[in-house]
Amino acid sequence: MEFGQEGSQKVDNSAPRWPFIVPRFKNTIKRIIQFAKTVKKIGDDDPRRIAHSFKVGFALTLVSIFYYVTPLFASFGVSTVWAVLTVVVVMEYTVGGTLSKGLNRAFATLLAGALGVAAHQIAVLCGDKGEPVLLGLFVFVLAAAATFSRFIPEVKAKYDYGVMIFILTFSLVAVSSYRVDELIELAHQRLSTIAFGVATCLGTSIFVFPVWAGEDLHKLVADNLEKLACFLEGLAAEYFAEKGATEDMDGKSFLKVYMSVLNSKPTEDFLANLARWEPRHGRFLFRHPWSQYQTIGVLSRQCAYLMDALATFITTLPKHKPNMDQDRHLMIQTACGEMSSESAEALKELSLAIRTMTTPALANHHASNAVAAMENLKDALSKEINILPNDLHMATTASFLDLLVIRIQGITSSVEELARLAHFRRLEPVRDAKIKPIADGEDVIIDLEK
Amino acid sequence: MEFGQEGSQKVDNSAPRWPFIVPRFKNTIKRIIQFAKTVKKIGDDDPRRIAHSFKVGFALTLVSIFYYVTPLFASFGVSTVWAVLTVVVVMEYTVGGTLSKGLNRAFATLLAGALGVAAHQIAVLCGDKGEPVLLGLFVFVLAAAATFSRFIPEVKAKYDYGVMIFILTFSLVAVSSYRVDELIELAHQRLSTIAFGVATCLGTSIFVFPVWAGEDLHKLVADNLEKLACFLEGLAAEYFAEKGATEDMDGKSFLKVYMSVLNSKPTEDFLANLARWEPRHGRFLFRHPWSQYQTIGVLSRQCAYLMDALATFITTLPKHKPNMDQDRHLMIQTACGEMSSESAEALKELSLAIRTMTTPALANHHASNAVAAMENLKDALSKEINILPNDLHMATTASFLDLLVIRIQGITSSVEELARLAHFRRLEPVRDAKIKPIADGEDVIIDLEK
């Protein structure tokens, strides 16, 4: 802001001379500052983005050295531009992205190049007049068939880029074969430079500050479970607490925390698709069960849908004041609070277990507690002879929690399945625990560290 | 299947000789048939996909004629390959996609080409040794900065492809400027062939069986409203009907019909982004309010989340048998049925209004009926002295419907806003209606056609 003020002071002196320019100039400076802030935020949010930008610059400069060094240029000629082109289009943010594009490009070029040369050999047999016609026909048929294959979901997910490069290379080879005489040499040069470009991209991607799609997926799934936990924690602390009975819930931040989970499907699917291309890295072995993350994702979203419905219910429909029978109201409220906080604990345990890659130890215990609280409440309610209309609101909330508790049981099993499939570490059971004597009136602290 | 049987009969004769090959051969034939079925289904689902495939083949064959015709080739030389390359990467399924990629490519090439030539002129001033160093530095800085800009959400959504082409072209021009002497001529040739490629793509996209992203978005939003309506209709007909009181709801198809709406956000955003690039077509004028479709989409998904919660509730938690007080149970059930069917009518009206581009006439009426039924039920419930626990299930369902009715009011307003912004036709009020005398016992049919 200081910069902006300084600028406007200077301009104020010249105001009489250019009255129209002054406000525009101020506006421009404001916009530039705003833009700089946005850029800074994007970099601060994830510094790996800055590293990625430098990596692209580095890889490009590396391949362009090819061009500047005379002996290297002599052996590859104008084909060197294909290395530059390859780096620009193949270099992706994640290792999986670069690998998927690079391998797609390399294999598609190889296959299409070979087919293109074969098409040329066949076309030559048809004489001078037949050659362009036959080449045109080949291009038409192969391009149409390959384009159609991009509509097949499996091809679209894994090989979309490869099919595009296939059409591209086949057309280029088939078309230019009509004019270029040293076709084989050209194909060889082009393939070598593309391989060199792909190798540069892969090297930079894997060895310079690598960004692993698998790791991002792993974190995303753990973060999402944490967000669901925050919602339930907030509910227990603010809505089912005593003060919450009358407080207005509109605008509470915990009622929005699950929102990003609702639309997490495309990101999860995208990352899972790329993660499958990545080699073993860190604690992620080859054939890590990536699809299990997608299963947990589906269950997390179903939870988030329920939370959205519950949040709408809490904020849209007015809460009745508790009626005369305070005891029953308190009983339902306490049970709901317990269901929420135990479910929140279970989800936090699961999120931590994924983050630390250890078998979840206490999650099942918390989930069972939530189920027990739910069963107790149901028992108590079925013994009541009647429920006053005023209690309906709280009873409906209890039904929502009931569904959430069941869903969270499902999430617990699927995270346990992930732990089994991915061989998460099993924490050693605690053998001996020290009990520290403390002052009266405080809780006893049991030190579980060995 | 007949083909498969015939094949296996033939093979059976030779079974003794190649025992291992027979089952493999059968398997292969099975797979081929399976694959052929998948391909046929993709084509049947949307025949425009077949047309698109032929369009790509056609456009490619068209630009390759450039190469075969000698006078054309002489004027553009090897640069002709850029036309082929442009067609392959620019040609998209929708007109908006092709336009967005084509314009991005054309302008990015122009800008980057000019900057590349400028960079070359500056670098030349630094002498033979300084030139490659300075060129390398330029490429590094611009590539890093441009790559970083792709993380800015606005750039990512609209100009991602343009930025990539900018990096590509700048690097190619800057790098090859070190070796190529006739830089300006090369740039001119390349730009013309790219322009020719883009023009071919646009012509084929717009004039041969065009697929408009805007039209697809329009249909998608209307379809989604229809799906929500089907859910509520099914609820009224199967769950709140008399027979539904005891029937098991698991596996009912109407409980799954809203599912595709849950994850419709990426498709809607993608289509809306492309629709903004499209020129006036059919009944869609320039500056059609595409963002309003996204608003309706958000509200539709919120409805779908509620429906998912309600469907989970209905299928997961057991429905109690109605207690002694059949009257009250029936009262709640009838009210719920009315709320569902009136809401379904409102949604169907809105969907039809979007499809026919007419101002929704009766939707508001149906939505108000649903609200009235809801208010009546609330009144009746608050007058009850007590509610038996057995009625809790039905009362909770009523709360869900309450939330849905409120959401559908929101959808009604936003579709009305769309009708206003997009100048939907207003249907003339019916002046005179003919009443046709019919046999006793049937409903009277009022012919509303003038």
Side-chain angles (χ1 to χ4, degrees), chain B residues 289-423:
Chain B
W290 299 115
S291 60
Q292 187 64 18
Y293 289 92
Q294 287 173 293
T295 310
I296 301 173
V298 170
L299 296 172
S300 303
R301 277 191 293 285
Q302 287 178 337
C303 258
Y305 301 154
L306 277 171
M307 287 177 183
D308 193 63
L310 179 54
T312 312
F313 181 71
I314 287 175
T315 49
T316 312
L317 299 182
K319 196 172 174 182
H320 298 278
K321 277 181 195 149
N323 66 315
M324 291 308 179
D325 193 351
Q326 285 277 8
D327 279 354
R328 185 173 41 214
H329 195 90
L330 206 64
M331 181 265 290
I332 306 181
Q333 182 157 316
T334 311
C336 285
E338 204 180 330
M339 280 155 77
S340 309
S341 59
E342 288 288 346
S343 300
E345 284 302 316
L347 285 172
K348 278 203 287 189
E349 273 283 326
L350 294 174
S351 171
L352 189 73
I354 294 180
R355 235 181 275 274
T356 55
M357 295 188 97
T358 50
T359 308
L362 292 168
N364 218 335
H365 171 71
H366 288 297
S368 306
N369 283 353
V371 174
M374 176 182 94
E375 297 295 343
N376 285 342
L377 177 63
K378 274 187 187 167
D379 270 5
L381 280 180
S382 68
K383 276 180 203 140
E384 299 276 332
I385 301 163
N386 61 55
I387 293 162
L388 292 173
N390 281 346
D391 286 331
L392 250 188
H393 194 277
M394 198 43 98
T396 305
T397 320
S399 299
F400 273 108
L401 283 176
D402 193 350
L403 297 175
L404 275 170
V405 165
I406 296 172
R407 283 264 183 267
I408 287 163
Q409 273 190 303
I411 295 184
T412 308
S413 326
S414 66
V415 174
E416 281 169 351
E417 176 71 10
L418 173 69
R420 200 182 60 74
L421 290 171
H423 311 291

Side-chain angles (χ1 to χ4, degrees), chain A residues 35 38-40 42-43 48-50 52-58 60-61 64 66-71 73 78 81-82 84-86 88-89 91-93 101 131-133 135-137 139-141 143-145 147-154 164-165 167-168 171-172 174-180 259 262-263 265-266 301-302 305-306 308-310 312-313 316-318 378 381-389 392 395-396 399-400 402-403 406-407, chain B residues 35 38-40 42-43 48-50 52-58 60-61 64 66-71 73 81-82 84-86 88-89 91-93 101 131-133 135-137 139-141 143-145 147-154 164-165 167-168 171-172 174-180 190 259 262-263 265-266 301-302 304-306 308-310 312-313 316-318 378 381-389 392 395-396 399-400 402-403 406-407:
Chain A
F35 179 74
T38 311
V39 168
K40 196 176 168 304
I42 290 169
R48 298 178 305 174
R49 290 169 177 167
I50 301 171
H52 173 69
S53 307
F54 282 117
K55 275 157 70 181
V56 173
F58 172 73
L60 260 181
T61 316
S64 54
F66 239 66
Y67 222 83
Y68 304 138
V69 181
T70 317
F73 181 76
V78 207
V81 296
W82 286 91
V84 176
L85 200 144
T86 302
V88 176
V89 293
M91 192 86 178
E92 288 279 316
Y93 184 51
K101 275 204 161 175
E131 194 185 341
V133 175
L135 281 176
L137 192 72
V139 168
F140 180 82
V141 171
T147 302
F148 188 78
S149 81
R150 294 171 79 180
F151 289 113
I152 301 171
E154 292 79 24
M164 197 181 84
I165 294 299
I167 305 175
L168 179 66
S171 310
L172 286 185
V175 168
S176 36
S177 70
Y178 186 62
R179 298 274 174 195
V180 178
M259 289 257 176
L262 293 172
N263 291 312
K265 186 178 160 56
R301 277 191 294 284
Q302 286 179 339
Y305 301 154
L306 277 172
D308 194 63
L310 179 54
T312 312
F313 180 70
T316 312
L317 298 182
K378 275 188 186 167
L381 280 181
S382 68
K383 277 180 204 140
E384 299 275 333
I385 300 164
N386 62 54
I387 293 162
L388 293 173
L392 252 187
T396 305
S399 298
F400 272 108
D402 194 349
L403 298 175
I406 296 171
R407 282 265 184 262
Chain B
F35 178 74
T38 312
V39 168
K40 195 176 168 305
I42 290 169
R48 298 178 304 174
R49 290 169 176 167
I50 302 171
H52 173 70
S53 307
F54 283 117
K55 274 157 71 181
V56 173
F58 172 72
L60 259 181
T61 316
S64 53
F66 240 65
Y67 222 83
Y68 305 137
V69 180
T70 317
F73 181 76
V81 296
W82 287 92
V84 176
L85 201 143
T86 302
V88 176
V89 294
M91 192 86 179
E92 289 279 316
Y93 184 50
K101 275 204 161 176
E131 193 186 340
V133 176
L135 280 177
L137 192 73
V139 168
F140 181 81
V141 172
T147 302
F148 188 78
S149 80
R150 294 172 78 179
F151 289 112
I152 301 171
E154 291 81 23
M164 196 180 84
I165 295 298
I167 305 176
L168 179 65
S171 309
L172 286 185
V175 169
S176 36
S177 71
Y178 186 63
R179 297 274 173 194
V180 178
R190 203 162 284 180
M259 288 257 176
L262 293 171
N263 291 312
K265 186 178 159 57
R301 277 191 293 285
Q302 287 178 337
Y305 301 154
L306 277 171
D308 193 63
L310 179 54
T312 312
F313 181 71
T316 312
L317 299 182
K378 274 187 187 167
L381 280 180
S382 68
K383 276 180 203 140
E384 299 276 332
I385 301 163
N386 61 55
I387 293 162
L388 292 173
L392 250 188
T396 305
S399 299
F400 273 108
D402 193 350
L403 297 175
I406 296 172
R407 283 264 183 267

Side-chain angles (χ1 to χ4, degrees), chain A residues 319-367:
Chain A
K319 199 172 174 181
H320 298 278
K321 276 181 197 154
N323 66 314
M324 290 307 180
D325 193 352
Q326 285 278 8
D327 278 355
R328 185 173 40 214
H329 196 90
L330 205 64
M331 182 264 291
I332 306 181
Q333 182 156 316
T334 312
C336 285
E338 204 181 328
M339 280 154 78
S340 308
S341 59
E342 289 288 346
S343 299
E345 284 301 317
L347 286 173
K348 278 204 288 189
E349 273 282 328
L350 294 174
S351 171
L352 189 73
I354 295 180
R355 236 180 275 275
T356 57
M357 295 187 99
T358 51
T359 308
L362 293 168
N364 218 333
H365 171 71
H366 288 297

